[in-house]
């Protein structure tokens, strides 16, 4: 459920315009509760469609593939009769969980459909979590091709994964050495203070 002010923000209109829509009966399933608040179900049929195509490649070397992938997504949407509001393109590993454009897309409550070519274009891991999260916002994720894995991109992501864990492992070792060095310095300092007091 959402309140009328959230509905207004979602539709890019002022609160008064949303109120007028409600009074005219133009917001299906909306109702006023006993406290006077106007409530609208999340999956109200009055919600306008907002389709976004999301294309991703692992590195900037594949920029040409990114453009081709985006074109295929747009062609698919056109064949389905869906009006595209945005095309989001990103160059980043599917293992990277800090992709600014994907983050912005996932945070956008207005989006009703995200179209991707393959599951792994969205993410290599945790796809079902993203799907459940977006479904709770009334958004559907449309995957054009359920199978197919690009072997080269998969290998690139595997190398990224190994590199990431190796870096973290070395970082832990370095951190441990720094901590041990700090403890040693403190112990030496403490010994000097004890000798000075004798």
């Amino acid at each position: 459920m959402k309140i009328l002010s959230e509905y207004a923000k979602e539709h890019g209109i002022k609160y008064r315009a949303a109120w007028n829509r409600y009074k005219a009966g133009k917001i299906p399933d909306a109702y006023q509760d006993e406290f006077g608040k106007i409530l609208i179900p999340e999956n109200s049929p009055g919600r306008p469609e907002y389709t976004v195509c999301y294309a991703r490649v692992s590195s900037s070397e594949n920029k040409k593939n990114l453009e081709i992938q985006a074109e295929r997504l747009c062609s698919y949407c056109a064949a389905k009769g869906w009006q595209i509001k945005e095309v989001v393109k990103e160059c980043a590993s599917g293992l990277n969980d800090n992709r600014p454009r994907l983050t912005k897309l996932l945070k956008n409550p207005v989006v009703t459909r995200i179209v991707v070519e393959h599951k792994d274009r969205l993410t290599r891991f945790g796809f079902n979590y993203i799907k459940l999260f977006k479904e709770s916002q009334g958004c559907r994720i449309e995957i054009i091709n359920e199978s197919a894995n690009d072997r080269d991109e998969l290998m690139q992501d595997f190398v990224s994964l190994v590199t990431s864990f190796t870096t973290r492992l070395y970082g832990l070792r370095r951190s441990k050495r720094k901590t041990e060095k700090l403890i040693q310095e403190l112990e030496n300092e403490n010994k000097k203070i004890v000798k000075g007091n004798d």
Side-chain angles (χ1 to χ4, degrees), residues 14 16 30 32 43 51 80 102 105 108 110 130 183 192:
K14 296 204 180 289
R16 186 71 191 167
Q32 198 164 17
N43 297 324
T51 300
K80 288 274 198 172
L102 178 62
L105 171 60
N108 189 344
V110 176
I130 292 173
I183 290 169
K192 286 179 186 175

Side-chain angles (χ1 to χ4, degrees), residues 105-186:
L105 171 60
L106 295 176
K107 283 182 173 180
N108 189 344
V110 176
V111 178
T112 57
R113 184 185 295 113
I114 299 171
V115 183
V116 291
E117 192 167 30
H118 306 287
K119 238 194 255 191
D120 63 4
R121 295 302 87 205
L122 208 55
T123 184
R124 290 282 184 198
F125 300 106
F127 174 81
N128 284 332
Y129 294 118
I130 292 173
K131 186 179 174 197
L132 287 169
F133 169 67
K134 290 312 289 177
E135 281 176 355
S136 74
Q137 292 183 330
C139 176
R140 183 166 182 255
I141 297 175
E142 178 87 10
I143 299 158
I144 295 175
N145 190 342
E146 288 285 350
S147 58
N149 248 338
D150 184 1
R151 188 176 180 276
D152 293 338
E153 285 229 350
L154 195 58
M155 286 307 293
Q156 250 181 338
D157 282 343
F158 179 70
V159 170
S160 296
L161 181 66
V162 171
T163 304
S164 170
F165 280 107
T166 304
T167 304
R168 287 174 65 191
L169 183 64
Y170 285 129
L172 286 173
R173 287 181 185 162
R174 193 175 311 120
S175 175
K176 184 180 174 190
R177 284 196 300 266
K178 281 183 180 177
T179 305
E180 288 171 349
K181 185 179 176 186
L182 181 65
I183 290 169
Q184 187 63 49
E185 286 174 3
L186 288 171

